[in-house]
Amino acid sequence: SAKAISVQAANDEDMWLYAMKKATPKKALKTATILTLSASGSEMSSSCVITNDEREAWLKRGFGSELNRPLFSILNPELTYTLPPYQTACGIVDIMMHTLERYLTKAGESALTDRIAESLLKTVVEAGAKAIECPEDYEARAQLMWAGSLSHNDLTACGRDYFMVSHQIEHELSGMYDYVAHGAGLAVVFPAWCKYAYKYNIPRFCRFAQSVWGIEVDLFDMEKTALRGIEATESFFRSIGMPTRIGELNIPASAYDEMAEKCTNYGERTLPGYIDYGKKEIIEILKLAE
């Protein structure tokens, strides 16, 4: 919200034009943050996400700009001690997704970036479980907080080409149903996207299974290894109290068509990735989340 306000205050155009990629801001007021939730990485990111709840039928959209990066941020893990376990878990998922959506991509070779991403993911899994069990574990909270910042400041994207398909689809869930926390929506959408997309890059998904979850690669059945990695991710989400099925969010199947329409900007765009995701593909992914 502060980022959106800082941009709107410094420009004559409607902020929503930037969110819809129909204009580009030229300047912004300076912002600073005091972090109270390890999740979005907004304290170091160039991202800004808002929901239009007055027009455009509850569209949730984001835009990236260097103008969005805060001038400074204060990170004190103790300020996250009192978070409910559910919100802590939502944050854990969001941190992982900011890295995974840069890691499970089709192009770009960067060994160092890959190892940074894998270390970050393993750290979040370990620290996340500890923070859920003991909310005042300073080291666990500190590791999550630092990981959240590194996951979305573009470090884990160095040398890689990416587009956050799961994020874009999830924005329709939490945009249309504002009781759905972003992290909870991602915990439902991401495994479904993986089940749809893994076949387009089985070796990459095998590396994820091996490097993050310690699953031995079956060279005679690499598809099985890829699927085991997806299952391990889903199991971890459940272990920290996250939903993994769309029914758990009380979202009816009758909403899929509208969500897919909105996600494609009513047919104006497809989501690039291993393939181009249009309305048909998005609906198929949502069905896999059932």
mmCIF file of all heavy atoms in Angstrom, residues 4 9 57 82 118 126 155-156 176 188 223 241 272:
data_model
loop_
_atom_site.group_PDB
_atom_site.id
_atom_site.type_symbol
_atom_site.label_atom_id
_atom_site.label_comp_id
_atom_site.label_asym_id
_atom_site.label_seq_id
_atom_site.Cartn_x
_atom_site.Cartn_y
_atom_site.Cartn_z
ATOM 1 N N ALA A 4 2.267 1.856 -3.451
ATOM 2 C CA ALA A 4 1.250 2.370 -4.366
ATOM 3 C C ALA A 4 0.956 3.837 -4.085
ATOM 4 O O ALA A 4 0.831 4.653 -5.004
ATOM 5 C CB ALA A 4 -0.031 1.536 -4.248
ATOM 6 N N ALA A 9 1.141 9.485 -5.424
ATOM 7 C CA ALA A 9 1.336 10.848 -4.934
ATOM 8 C C ALA A 9 2.288 11.658 -5.815
ATOM 9 O O ALA A 9 2.219 12.892 -5.836
ATOM 10 C CB ALA A 9 1.858 10.820 -3.503
ATOM 11 N N ALA A 57 -13.917 -5.447 -11.217
ATOM 12 C CA ALA A 57 -14.418 -6.709 -10.642
ATOM 13 C C ALA A 57 -13.381 -7.440 -9.790
ATOM 14 O O ALA A 57 -13.098 -8.610 -10.006
ATOM 15 C CB ALA A 57 -14.942 -7.614 -11.755
ATOM 16 N N THR A 82 4.703 -12.717 17.632
ATOM 17 C CA THR A 82 3.283 -12.841 17.988
ATOM 18 C C THR A 82 2.385 -13.191 16.806
ATOM 19 O O THR A 82 1.165 -13.207 16.946
ATOM 20 C CB THR A 82 2.781 -11.536 18.625
ATOM 21 O OG1 THR A 82 3.033 -10.438 17.733
ATOM 22 C CG2 THR A 82 3.488 -11.269 19.946
ATOM 23 N N GLU A 118 18.638 -23.113 -3.895
ATOM 24 C CA GLU A 118 18.469 -24.383 -3.182
ATOM 25 C C GLU A 118 18.790 -24.241 -1.699
ATOM 26 O O GLU A 118 18.064 -24.787 -0.842
ATOM 27 C CB GLU A 118 19.353 -25.450 -3.831
ATOM 28 C CG GLU A 118 18.875 -25.857 -5.222
ATOM 29 C CD GLU A 118 19.950 -26.463 -6.097
ATOM 30 O OE1 GLU A 118 21.111 -26.583 -5.641
ATOM 31 O OE2 GLU A 118 19.639 -26.814 -7.255
ATOM 32 N N GLU A 126 13.630 -25.763 7.000
ATOM 33 C CA GLU A 126 14.117 -26.064 8.360
ATOM 34 C C GLU A 126 13.683 -25.009 9.365
ATOM 35 O O GLU A 126 13.136 -25.321 10.435
ATOM 36 C CB GLU A 126 15.647 -26.165 8.335
ATOM 37 C CG GLU A 126 16.266 -26.480 9.682
ATOM 38 C CD GLU A 126 17.778 -26.556 9.619
ATOM 39 O OE1 GLU A 126 18.314 -26.932 8.552
ATOM 40 O OE2 GLU A 126 18.435 -26.234 10.636
ATOM 41 N N LEU A 155 17.919 -11.524 -6.409
ATOM 42 C CA LEU A 155 19.140 -12.321 -6.302
ATOM 43 C C LEU A 155 18.928 -13.722 -6.860
ATOM 44 O O LEU A 155 19.785 -14.249 -7.584
ATOM 45 C CB LEU A 155 19.578 -12.402 -4.837
ATOM 46 C CG LEU A 155 20.808 -13.257 -4.532
ATOM 47 C CD1 LEU A 155 22.047 -12.651 -5.162
ATOM 48 C CD2 LEU A 155 21.009 -13.397 -3.023
ATOM 49 N N THR A 156 17.785 -14.326 -6.546
ATOM 50 C CA THR A 156 17.547 -15.701 -6.997
ATOM 51 C C THR A 156 17.083 -15.773 -8.447
ATOM 52 O O THR A 156 16.723 -16.854 -8.924
ATOM 53 C CB THR A 156 16.514 -16.398 -6.086
ATOM 54 O OG1 THR A 156 15.298 -15.637 -6.073
ATOM 55 C CG2 THR A 156 17.035 -16.526 -4.666
ATOM 56 N N MET A 176 -10.417 -12.311 -5.864
ATOM 57 C CA MET A 176 -11.867 -12.484 -5.869
ATOM 58 C C MET A 176 -12.404 -12.881 -4.499
ATOM 59 O O MET A 176 -13.535 -12.536 -4.140
ATOM 60 C CB MET A 176 -12.263 -13.546 -6.895
ATOM 61 C CG MET A 176 -12.153 -13.094 -8.338
ATOM 62 S SD MET A 176 -12.516 -14.433 -9.531
ATOM 63 C CE MET A 176 -14.184 -14.897 -9.054
ATOM 64 N N VAL A 188 -2.009 -24.031 -2.586
ATOM 65 C CA VAL A 188 -2.965 -24.803 -3.372
ATOM 66 C C VAL A 188 -2.578 -24.804 -4.853
ATOM 67 O O VAL A 188 -2.569 -25.845 -5.515
ATOM 68 C CB VAL A 188 -4.391 -24.227 -3.195
ATOM 69 C CG1 VAL A 188 -5.349 -24.829 -4.215
ATOM 70 C CG2 VAL A 188 -4.885 -24.472 -1.774
ATOM 71 N N GLU A 223 10.697 -39.436 -14.207
ATOM 72 C CA GLU A 223 9.374 -38.857 -13.976
ATOM 73 C C GLU A 223 8.903 -39.167 -12.555
ATOM 74 O O GLU A 223 8.317 -38.307 -11.887
ATOM 75 C CB GLU A 223 8.375 -39.393 -14.988
ATOM 76 C CG GLU A 223 6.989 -38.774 -14.849
ATOM 77 C CD GLU A 223 6.037 -39.207 -15.950
ATOM 78 O OE1 GLU A 223 6.414 -40.068 -16.759
ATOM 79 O OE2 GLU A 223 4.912 -38.676 -15.998
ATOM 80 N N GLY A 241 0.392 -26.652 8.275
ATOM 81 C CA GLY A 241 -0.987 -26.204 8.423
ATOM 82 C C GLY A 241 -1.581 -25.474 7.243
ATOM 83 O O GLY A 241 -2.597 -24.789 7.382
ATOM 84 N N PRO A 272 3.503 -16.572 -20.025
ATOM 85 C CA PRO A 272 4.615 -17.320 -20.606
ATOM 86 C C PRO A 272 5.279 -18.220 -19.569
ATOM 87 O O PRO A 272 5.318 -17.921 -18.383
ATOM 88 C CB PRO A 272 5.565 -16.216 -21.069
ATOM 89 C CG PRO A 272 5.292 -15.067 -20.145
ATOM 90 C CD PRO A 272 3.827 -15.144 -19.821
#
